[in-house]
Amino acid sequence: MAPIEVVSLSQQSPVTCHAFNADRSQIAVSLNSNEVRIYARQGNDWNHIDTLSEHDKPITSIDWAPKSNRIVTSAQDRNAYVWQQTPDPQTGNVIWKPTLVLLRVNRAATFVRWSPNEDKFAVASGARAIAICSFDPEGDWWVSRLLKKPIRSTVLSVDWHPNNVLLAAGSADMKARVFSAYIKDVDKRPAPSVWGEKLPFNTICGEYASPSGGWVHSVGFSPSGDVLAFASHDSTINIVYPGGPAIYTIKLAILPLVTLTWATEETIVAAGHDCQPLVFGGNQGGWELNGSLDDVHSNKSSGGSRSGFGGASPVGRLNSAAFNTFRNAAERGISNVPGSPTTSSSTESEVFTVHQNTITSVRPYAGVPRQITQVSTSGVDGKLVVWDVNAVTPISATGLAGKLGKLQVR
Amino acid sequence: MEVNFRKIDIDQYDEDALLYNELYDTDPRDPAQALDDTKQNAAAVRGSLARNDYVGALTLVLENAPYGPNVEEAKNLNLQTLVTILNSTKGTDIPGIVKALSADAQDTLMKYLYKGMALPGWGDVSGSVLLGWHEKLTEVAGTGCIVRAMTDRKLV
């Protein structure tokens, strides 16, 4: 089915990341620069209303706390800022005022997320560490404690457990881990869960890897917090039941997924280099790919000569304009000089998905935890798209599904 | 632009550098054991080929394939056995054989195809045979299979 809303935020630059405010009337995005741009919805349009500039290197991640209405940003400049709306003492206008966070990392900050209670946030970094930040009222700043062991490489993503204490992290050392991020002055002692009972800071509650390795791009706790999903660069998605102990690995026939979010306790939406959001369903008994939110056959009407280009054929994505250029050169000695009149026009390289390039972020948009009804995606093509989670198009039996039904339990 | 700094091995200045062998679990067998297993497989493969059981032969070679450092001899022998199977298969049979393999065996086969392509002229390696298998395997297992062959540090 067609998506609910498609917004083209930028023609030239990718959308690095996006975050909506609580009532979804405003959105904060980074267009691959050191500025955060805030857009407000006005009818069907999104108007640029504010720019947050304090970082001096490209922004890597944004999160907008729904209850306390604070924005946290992380960037390659090794800093994070918490932005809060305050009246300007001179003009009286409400402005976003930044507060510096003492991260104490010496490499880029790569990812940031508020904890469920919004009294802490976690900043992943290239310094083989995750900074767990909490507010220090005496100093009027955010201080951090570092989760270091046993991380061996850049941390690419984090996700909070609903109990506000446990944190999942995916890293370039090919591992997904679950840590305790317990801060004495902030947290009450958490109830025992499947991840453990005693949870002092930096307890490692689990360490997992995909069978064929690969950077762990994205991690996510299920709404109950009892299940962990992670997607890695070997084109697999893995679902971990720590009590099992079982790991379900789904090997995909497509390019790797880089972002995922849970819609319900038994549904995951994930997307990545294949430009379309996929829906996975399952439970303790097993997991499988249900289909795509992007119906590649209904999107474009003008694609007669290139039918089967999208999800139907597993090698479909190889059949791009660039691929054909090289094939023509190799097989027929035809070389198209880019820019010459005979070169295929720009529409030739259009893919049949709504997103025209890698999707880098998928986030809940509407519904409540355990029952997310809509998700939003943004990506390298500069688009922001809102999808109905329940409008799943099954992927044809040939190609994708042939390989996907196979599950492996270790 | 000055780019030579990119060639400096910065890991030598880092006491805590991430080493290659930390990225995967090494082959649990010792080299002699791995070589023994591979020799037995090679003999069994000859039997399977005599019965025209190509799927069985490939499965023998691809399951428990030796990987990682220290087992070079076993790795070479396994590649040789695999190339024998690939070379003796009729082109029209390939799609059926590839479909009958398990997902793990498909991934391992893709690793061997790339290894073979990196060794032109080695033993009986034939580029056109490997490309024929590569095309059929990609049609069945998709680009994801290629991604896994490139990502996996357990080199065959």
Side-chain angles (χ1 to χ4, degrees):
Chain A
M1 234 179 73
I4 293 167
E5 184 174 1
V6 180
V7 186
S8 196
L9 289 171
S10 164
Q11 300 293 334
Q12 285 86 33
S13 52
V15 177
T16 312
C17 49
H18 75 276
F20 281 97
N21 67 348
D23 66 4
R24 309 298 189 232
S25 62
Q26 294 187 14
I27 184 173
V29 298
S30 164
L31 302 178
N32 200 28
S33 76
N34 59 338
E35 288 177 341
V36 176
R37 291 162 74 92
I38 296 180
Y39 294 80
R41 184 193 286 282
Q42 211 160 53
N44 289 327
D45 291 331
W46 287 90
N47 295 332
H48 179 208
I49 56 162
D50 213 341
T51 302
L52 314 186
S53 33
E54 192 72 28
H55 287 288
D56 54 19
K57 286 279 186 332
I59 284 161
T60 51
S61 186
I62 306 173
D63 202 22
W64 199 325
K67 286 171 267 182
S68 53
N69 197 35
R70 285 184 299 214
I71 298 175
V72 61
T73 56
S74 66
Q76 292 176 15
D77 61 8
R78 299 167 293 173
N79 282 327
Y81 290 100
V82 175
W83 305 79
Q84 210 162 358
Q85 280 191 313
T86 25
D88 189 321
Q90 270 124 48
T91 61
N93 295 338
V94 175
I95 53 159
W96 286 99
K97 187 171 156 284
T99 313
L100 180 64
V101 182
L102 302 175
L103 276 189
R104 299 187 294 128
V105 296
N106 57 1
R107 294 285 187 277
T110 52
F111 200 85
V112 64
R113 283 293 178 268
W114 285 102
S115 73
N117 295 351
E118 303 178 8
D119 48 7
K120 296 191 290 189
F121 56 87
V123 184
S125 82
R128 299 171 185 167
I130 305 163
I132 307 297
C133 305
S134 57
F135 191 67
D136 169 23
E138 280 173 30
D140 192 27
W141 53 25
W142 291 81
V143 292
S144 69
R145 288 193 71 184
L146 296 183
L147 286 172
K148 277 190 155 164
K149 287 205 163 118
I151 303 167
R152 303 289 288 130
S153 187
T154 301
V155 181
L156 300 166
S157 67
V158 295
D159 190 51
W160 286 95
H161 189 279
N163 72 2
N164 209 55
V165 168
L166 294 172
L167 185 79
S171 163
D173 60 12
M174 327 232 170
K175 297 280 195 323
R177 299 186 178 89
V178 175
F179 294 98
S180 166
Y182 177 80
I183 302 282
K184 205 171 66 188
D185 298 337
V186 177
D187 290 307
K188 289 199 252 333
R189 209 161 156 251
S193 72
V194 290
W195 301 101
E197 289 181 13
K198 283 200 163 172
L199 300 166
F201 188 77
N202 211 158
T203 307
I204 297 131
C205 307
E207 185 174 87
Y208 311 96
S210 160
S212 33
W215 290 17
V216 178
H217 287 294
S218 186
V219 288
F221 280 111
S222 71
S224 71
D226 291 345
V227 193
L228 177 75
F230 64 95
S232 51
H233 200 76
D234 58 349
S235 284
T236 63
I237 183 165
N238 304 270
I239 296 103
V240 181
Y241 287 86
I247 301 183
Y248 293 105
T249 298
I250 304 180
K251 292 189 171 191
L252 297 166
I254 55 167
L255 297 177
L257 303 168
V258 298
T259 174
L260 66 85
T261 189
W262 289 74
T264 73
E265 191 64 26
E266 299 185 335
T267 324
I268 297 170
V269 182
H273 294 290
D274 221 60
C275 313
Q276 52 182 329
L278 301 177
V279 178
F280 297 87
N283 52 42
Q284 203 139 12
W287 278 78
E288 62 180 5
L289 176 76
N290 289 348
S292 171
L293 295 183
D294 194 337
D295 184 359
V296 290
H297 297 294
S298 72
N299 286 340
K300 305 283 188 298
S301 51
S302 60
S305 61
R306 294 187 297 141
S307 58
F309 180 82
S313 162
V315 286
R317 285 185 46 80
L318 293 178
N319 190 15
S320 64
F323 179 83
N324 284 327
T325 305
F326 282 110
R327 191 174 59 187
N328 287 341
E331 290 182 356
R332 288 176 236 154
I334 303 169
S335 57
N336 278 345
V337 180
S340 72
T342 53
T343 316
S344 44
S345 64
S346 61
T347 53
E348 283 280 312
S349 61
E350 192 174 28
V351 290
F352 271 15
T353 47
V354 172
H355 273 290
Q356 294 294 301
N357 208 326
T358 300
I359 297 172
T360 51
S361 180
V362 53
R363 309 196 68 171
Y365 180 79
V368 290
R370 289 176 191 271
Q371 204 55 59
I372 299 297
T373 53
Q374 296 172 11
V375 294
S376 57
T377 56
S378 65
V380 180
D381 59 351
K383 282 201 176 87
L384 175 86
V385 183
V386 178
W387 309 85
D388 179 353
V389 173
N390 295 312
V392 181
T393 308
I395 288 168
S396 59
T398 58
L400 280 177
K403 184 79 179 282
L404 290 164
K406 288 173 189 152
L407 292 169
Q408 181 195 340
V409 183
R410 291 199 306 176
Chain B
M1 197 177 78
E2 183 64 52
V3 292
N4 280 340
F5 70 91
R6 292 187 188 280
K7 293 182 179 162
I8 299 171
D9 174 17
I10 55 165
D11 281 348
Q12 65 176 314
Y13 303 108
D14 186 353
E15 284 173 14
D16 197 29
L18 181 61
L19 301 175
Y20 195 82
N21 60 15
E22 293 176 64
L23 293 172
Y24 63 94
D25 304 322
T26 44
D27 200 323
R29 300 169 292 188
D30 68 58
Q33 177 72 37
L35 186 60
D36 253 22
D37 290 357
T38 315
K39 278 182 179 153
Q40 279 177 24
N41 275 347
V45 162
R46 278 192 287 276
S48 298
L49 286 183
R51 295 192 302 274
N52 285 331
D53 177 12
Y54 294 103
V55 176
L58 273 178
T59 306
L60 278 172
V61 175
L62 297 175
E63 277 178 9
N64 292 318
Y67 65 86
N70 309 327
V71 287
E72 287 304 322
E73 215 176 330
K75 281 158 71 175
N76 284 338
L77 178 62
N78 216 37
L79 175 62
Q80 209 166 347
T81 315
L82 180 93
V83 168
T84 316
I85 304 172
L86 300 189
N87 286 346
S88 58
T89 316
K90 279 203 295 285
T92 47
D93 294 342
I94 296 176
I97 296 171
V98 167
K99 274 182 202 148
L101 292 175
S102 72
D104 289 341
Q106 289 173 346
D107 290 353
T108 313
L109 177 58
M110 188 61 90
K111 286 195 226 171
Y112 274 107
L113 294 181
Y114 277 99
K115 179 174 189 180
M117 286 190 250
L119 298 166
W122 185 90
D124 301 324
V125 169
S126 147
S128 65
V129 171
L130 294 182
L131 284 170
W133 277 86
H134 183 271
E135 182 187 358
K136 298 292 180 277
L137 180 55
T138 310
E139 276 171 19
V140 173
T143 45
C145 183
I146 300 176
V147 171
R148 280 185 286 280
M150 295 197 293
T151 311
D152 201 341
R153 301 300 179 110
K154 291 177 243 167
L155 299 178
V156 293

